[in-house]
Amino acid sequence: METTVAAVATPSGHGGLGAVRISGVDAFSIADKVFCSVSARKIADTAGYRALFGKVVNDGEAVDEAVALVFRAPKSYTGENVVEISVHGGDFVVNRVLRAVLDAGAVLAEPGEFTKRAYLNGKMDLSQAEAVMDIISAEGDEALRAGLEQLGGTVTKKCLEIKEKMTFAAATVAAFSDFPDEEPEFSGIDKLGSRLEEIKVELEKLVSDYDVGRMVKNGINAVIVGPPNAGKSTLMNLLSGFEKSIVTPVAGTTRDVVEETVNLGSVTLKLCDTAGIRDTEDTVEKIGVERSRSRMDTADLVLAVFDGSDGFTAEDEALSDSLNRDISLVVFNKSDKGQPDVSPAEKRGLQWVVMSAENGTGLDKLQEKIMQLTKTANLNGKAAVYLNERQRNCAKRSLKCINEAIDCAGVGFTVDAVGVLIDDALSALMEITGERVTVEVANEVFKRFCVGK
Ligand code: GDP
């Protein structure tokens, strides 16, 4: 890359520090034009991983005191020469520094350009670059851990494992094509079917784990449903830690959907409290009830709250019958008033928990059950491989080719046809890490980044 780019690398607003990052062949000479160290040492003469203290000067005027951190190619984030100039953290002063750096010859970096350069310079692959984005936008412990694992190369490693198996299968096909008259053991063509099946299982797991990964990264889309007065708003308030829904003892007061992002232990819930589900003539409430139902259709998790101290009504029975067992958790609330009869949940095979939203007892159990139900409890930080949507599309395409290859091999197509399909599967797989990826795809990935990263 011929240009040297610069951008503010810290968020806008007031803070202890603000930093401008410069990366490229001319990073040192540009930084030397704006930064004067107290020791009079030039940045160009400074070793990597060293810091200099001094001042940023623009148009002969001191802008602020500053520390310049020096990274020498290839030992930097981007793999290029990098200087990070830190000053006091205020938008005005940081932007003055950026202006000075741009006046001195740097070009304003595009969003994600530093990470893109790191990718293009082989410092990280595409899945790792995406992990940087995940770390920046992480809202909970598990999301952060998943991002860090991916940055550490879990996705890359898994893809390499599958790639090796595919390459082996492709080599088997090639050997058989070249020497078709040899014994099947010579090329290993007799084992091709089982090898392809093995690859298929691994790809299927990558694709199916996506949902868990999505919940870990973006939060679990959860909806609270239940009859009026069961304690839905109280539960919402307990989880979000402050009053957001209006809690009143009059049935039917939560009329619309209230949304909140809450961290429950290490998972994040995108929670919405909805209008109580019941037959109603009130038009406004009716709209709320409709919304509750449509939320239930798209949620990852349904928390069905009932007043456990009050017995089960026909309406409660009807709501319980409509719950999807795989994603629903029955919450028998108000345990402080009396122990519930949990049989309505038991007989429907629904998971349940007994708690008091008012005083918080049973909250630990609620968390445990939520993690079990959404499978986020099975997370094994180190071993988990979670793809993002782009990566999952690649894995799905790869899986489709492998399935076709298995079918082709099964019905006795020429091995060449099978070989072509395995190659296609390999190409799709390598798009995940960016080994084989078009410039457009890479650009699309980096467009989602913020400036300065
Ligand atoms: P919603 O209509 O389902 O949203 O119910 P609310 O959260 O508005 O609660 C209805 C009433 O039940 C309020 O008076 C709450 O204080 C009360 N309530 C909610 N949860 C509990 C609980 O765990 N124990 C007891 N004793 N009362 C509760």
Side-chain angles (χ1 to χ4, degrees):
M1 270 130 294
E2 281 157 22
T3 53
T4 294
V5 290
V8 176
T10 42
S12 124
H14 293 259
L17 289 177
V20 170
R21 190 189 244 172
I22 314 167
S23 177
V25 275
D26 298 325
F28 297 158
S29 58
I30 288 172
D32 272 327
K33 286 189 198 158
V34 303
F35 177 83
C36 307
S37 75
V38 283
S39 61
R41 178 185 280 276
K42 291 277 173 206
I43 287 174
D45 301 328
T46 303
Y49 299 144
R50 292 286 161 90
L52 296 177
F53 176 65
K55 274 191 187 119
V56 171
V57 180
N58 187 213
D59 292 336
E61 224 181 274
V63 176
D64 193 8
E65 288 186 337
V67 170
L69 263 175
V70 181
F71 301 86
R72 286 196 170 261
K75 294 181 178 174
S76 72
Y77 181 71
T78 56
E80 303 171 334
N81 285 341
V82 170
V83 181
E84 286 174 11
I85 300 177
S86 300
V87 289
H88 293 103
D91 287 340
F92 182 75
V93 62
V94 175
N95 283 319
R96 277 288 301 273
V97 176
L98 177 65
R99 203 173 68 204
V101 169
L102 298 180
D103 287 349
V107 175
L108 188 64
E110 308 258 326
E113 184 151 6
F114 294 99
T115 309
K116 185 173 172 181
R117 287 180 175 221
Y119 161 65
L120 294 173
N121 289 324
K123 295 295 276 188
M124 58 177 78
D125 70 25
L126 205 54
S127 75
Q128 288 169 312
E130 287 172 309
V132 172
M133 192 62 200
D134 290 342
I135 290 170
I136 295 172
S137 54
E139 287 180 348
D141 286 347
E142 291 300 347
L144 179 59
R145 190 174 310 154
L148 275 174
E149 291 300 334
Q150 184 169 329
L151 184 62
T154 42
V155 170
T156 312
K157 194 163 153 262
K158 188 76 223 163
C159 288
L160 273 179
E161 274 170 37
I162 303 178
K163 180 182 159 190
E164 253 173 48
K165 290 184 182 170
M166 282 188 190
T167 314
F168 194 54
T172 305
V173 169
F176 180 77
S177 299
D178 290 345
F179 306 99
D181 300 328
E182 293 286 343
E183 292 292 314
E185 297 84 53
F186 167 78
S187 58
I189 199 77
D190 52 333
K191 298 200 187 69
L192 182 65
S194 62
R195 282 189 187 131
L196 291 177
E197 287 290 342
E198 224 178 275
I199 294 169
K200 173 183 159 170
V201 170
E202 297 211 18
L203 285 172
E204 277 174 348
K205 178 151 173 36
L206 272 186
V207 172
S208 68
D209 281 354
Y210 162 83
D211 273 334
V212 181
R214 177 181 56 74
M215 287 191 263
V216 167
K217 287 185 202 161
N218 304 339
I220 299 167
N221 273 323
V223 57
I224 301 183
V225 298
N229 259 359
K232 298 180 298 299
S233 311
T234 311
L235 177 63
M236 176 90 169
N237 291 337
L238 173 74
L239 293 171
S240 53
F242 65 95
E243 301 257 324
K244 176 131 190 176
S245 307
I246 319 147
V247 184
T248 81
V250 184
T253 37
T254 309
R255 295 189 153 197
D256 208 345
V257 180
V258 183
E259 282 184 309
E260 190 69 50
T261 298
V262 303
N263 286 322
L264 183 62
S266 48
V267 292
T268 305
L269 295 183
K270 298 263 157 97
L271 203 58
C272 62
D273 177 15
T274 60
I277 292 190
R278 62 167 191 171
D279 285 332
T280 175
E281 289 308 312
D282 181 312
T283 324
V284 182
E285 196 181 337
K286 234 179 186 160
I287 297 169
V289 170
E290 300 267 304
R291 287 198 191 158
S292 307
R293 292 218 183 272
S294 76
R295 286 277 176 161
M296 273 173 77
D297 295 339
T298 54
D300 299 316
L301 172 74
V302 176
L303 296 174
V305 183
F306 298 98
D307 181 343
S309 66
D310 199 24
F312 234 59
T313 64
E315 274 184 32
D316 296 349
E317 298 274 350
L319 173 58
S320 308
D321 283 336
S322 71
L323 295 174
N324 173 349
R325 242 181 275 165
D326 297 333
I327 59 164
S328 305
L329 179 62
V330 174
V331 179
F332 291 105
N333 190 31
K334 309 196 187 183
S335 61
D336 54 297
K337 277 171 72 183
Q339 282 306 304
D341 167 18
V342 298
S343 63
E346 290 265 320
K347 77 172 184 235
R348 290 175 175 85
L350 289 161
Q351 296 285 324
W352 53 266
V353 65
V354 174
M355 71 177 297
S356 165
E358 195 144 272
N359 64 25
T361 42
L363 190 60
D364 290 356
K365 201 76 197 156
L366 179 76
Q367 181 191 342
E368 193 186 309
K369 287 275 181 185
I370 288 176
M371 291 186 75
Q372 266 173 23
L373 203 63
T374 54
K375 301 195 180 72
T376 44
N378 304 345
L379 278 180
N380 174 351
K382 293 236 172 319
V385 180
Y386 297 127
L387 306 185
N388 62 26
E389 188 148 1
R390 180 194 71 80
Q391 297 163 350
R392 184 182 72 145
N393 282 334
C394 302
K396 271 179 90 169
R397 270 191 283 127
S398 186
L399 177 62
K400 186 165 172 276
C401 296
I402 290 295
N403 277 329
E404 284 172 14
I406 290 172
D407 289 347
C408 270
V411 295
F413 265 86
T414 63
V415 285
D416 290 343
V418 178
V420 168
L421 286 164
I422 298 175
D423 269 348
D424 288 349
L426 202 53
S427 289
L429 182 79
M430 285 155 82
E431 270 185 45
I432 295 180
T433 52
E435 256 182 287
R436 277 191 205 168
V437 84
T438 60
V439 179
E440 290 76 23
V441 171
N443 285 341
E444 200 52 43
V445 168
F446 291 105
K447 245 174 39 192
R448 295 188 301 118
F449 276 65
C450 45
V451 175
K453 193 62 234 174

